[in-house]
Amino acid sequence: MSWAGFKKTINRANTTLLQKTGQIERTIDREFADEEVKYKNYEKECQALQKDSKGYMDAMRAMTAAQARLADTIDIFYGAADKTSESAMAAHAYKRAVEDLDTGVSREMELPYRTTIMEPLGKMNAYFPIINEHITKRNKKLLDYDAARSKLNKIINKPSEDPTKLPKAQQENDDAKEVFDYLNDQLIAELPQLLDLRVPFFDPSFEAMIRMQCKFAEEGYDKLSGVQRYFADNVRDDYAAGQLDAQVEGVLQEMRELSICGAS
């Protein structure tokens, strides 16, 4: 930082302190304040959306990978008992189905998901640091303007014997106000435009996410439906009637009656 930049930083810090103690009037721009609040909320929402979208894809990978490991264990479990049984064939079919789903997430979902959802979100979030720099600059120029205005008012209220001080202070005030007004007007005009563009910007991403979720659900249903042919026709009816729960409870009771499972 140059000496001039360092001096400006010190002067702005002093102005801020004097404003807090009520010695320098603080300019309040309600219009800008309202737009800044809406912009900050939008920035926060976009950052959360990017984080949650990444979390969704990570969760999809984790879910299909866990499902594949589960299917592998079930396949081993039933195959070790009787590889020719209907249960063993169902377990093997289930393993193939979930393996296809697991590879399908990587092959068919990840690239489109990254292209249509993560990349647009990344591009939008990349604008925020630039916009925030403009807001920070605007706030600094506001401090300069408040300080220049305070200096001018002091000279007006208590004229100096030096006739050059008033015109100089007036010029400093006018210059500071011009710079501040330019930045302030620009932000007030363009922040609402940025927010208005959010819907057409995110529409394609939202549609793509819905389509990909539908595709994954449909493929999962199609692949797993094929496993059902290995089960007896009455299994679904037994489940709806609560009979499967009763069968499980019956087997558990038989386990409890074994000496190695019974209470000592």
Side-chain angles (χ1 to χ4, degrees):
M1 181 185 293
S2 64
W3 169 250
F6 177 74
K7 187 176 180 181
K8 282 185 177 181
T9 300
I10 295 297
N11 289 339
R12 287 165 181 159
N14 289 335
T15 300
T16 301
L17 179 61
L18 292 172
Q19 286 179 334
K20 289 181 179 179
T21 58
Q23 299 179 60
I24 290 182
E25 182 183 358
R26 184 198 302 269
T27 297
I28 303 297
D29 189 326
R30 296 296 182 190
E31 187 176 9
F32 171 78
D34 290 343
E35 296 302 335
E36 184 182 24
V37 168
K38 288 185 282 188
Y39 160 73
K40 287 296 183 182
N41 287 336
Y42 175 58
E43 178 186 21
K44 182 179 179 181
E45 289 164 359
C46 283
Q47 290 171 346
L49 192 59
Q50 185 177 34
K51 179 181 178 181
D52 291 340
S53 296
K54 181 181 182 301
Y56 172 81
M57 196 66 227
D58 291 343
M60 289 289 290
R61 294 193 200 100
M63 185 270 291
T64 56
Q67 195 174 27
R69 292 194 297 270
L70 177 65
D72 188 54
T73 301
I74 292 174
D75 184 44
I76 294 172
F77 179 78
Y78 279 101
D82 183 358
K83 291 184 178 181
T84 62
S85 68
E86 288 185 351
S87 295
M89 288 188 289
H92 191 63
Y94 176 63
K95 178 184 177 181
R96 291 198 308 270
V98 297
E99 283 177 346
D100 288 344
L101 283 176
D102 186 30
T103 56
V105 168
S106 299
R107 184 179 64 251
E108 298 179 14
M109 279 192 68
E110 285 199 26
L111 181 58
Y113 190 89
R114 186 168 58 251
T115 302
T116 61
I117 297 169
M118 295 307 300
E119 288 182 6
L121 278 168
K123 290 176 181 177
M124 177 57 70
N125 280 296
Y127 286 123
F128 295 133
I130 300 172
I131 298 169
N132 290 334
E133 285 182 11
H134 283 277
I135 292 175
T136 298
K137 185 176 181 180
R138 176 259 182 204
N139 293 339
K140 289 179 178 178
K141 296 304 180 182
L142 177 57
L143 286 172
D144 295 343
Y145 171 50
D146 284 346
R149 187 180 65 247
S150 176
K151 180 180 177 181
L152 174 62
N153 289 336
K154 285 180 180 178
I155 294 176
I156 292 174
N157 294 332
K158 189 177 180 180
S160 171
E161 294 180 358
D162 185 349
T164 64
K165 282 191 174 183
L166 180 57
K168 182 179 178 181
Q170 183 67 59
Q171 186 63 49
E172 290 176 355
N173 174 83
D174 294 347
D175 291 345
K177 185 178 187 303
E178 182 180 0
V179 173
F180 164 71
D181 284 344
Y182 173 77
L183 295 173
N184 193 56
D185 292 345
Q186 183 183 49
L187 286 167
I188 289 174
E190 294 187 4
L191 286 179
Q193 294 179 38
L194 175 69
L195 267 63
D196 287 342
L197 289 170
R198 70 189 185 278
V199 172
F201 181 83
F202 283 121
D203 261 352
S205 295
F206 179 57
E207 182 179 349
M209 175 174 280
I210 297 301
R211 288 181 180 276
M212 278 184 278
Q213 288 181 352
C214 286
K215 181 178 175 60
F216 180 79
E218 288 169 356
E219 288 189 359
Y221 180 82
D222 289 342
K223 293 182 185 300
L224 294 176
S225 291
V227 182
Q228 295 186 64
R229 70 176 185 270
Y230 294 99
F231 297 111
D233 293 337
N234 64 332
V235 169
R236 183 178 300 173
D237 294 335
D238 287 348
Y239 175 77
Q243 295 300 316
L244 294 185
D245 292 340
Q247 292 176 27
V248 171
E249 186 57 37
V251 175
L252 285 174
Q253 183 57 39
E254 291 182 29
M255 289 182 178
R256 295 188 191 103
E257 293 172 358
L258 296 174
S259 297
I260 56 175
C261 295
S264 58

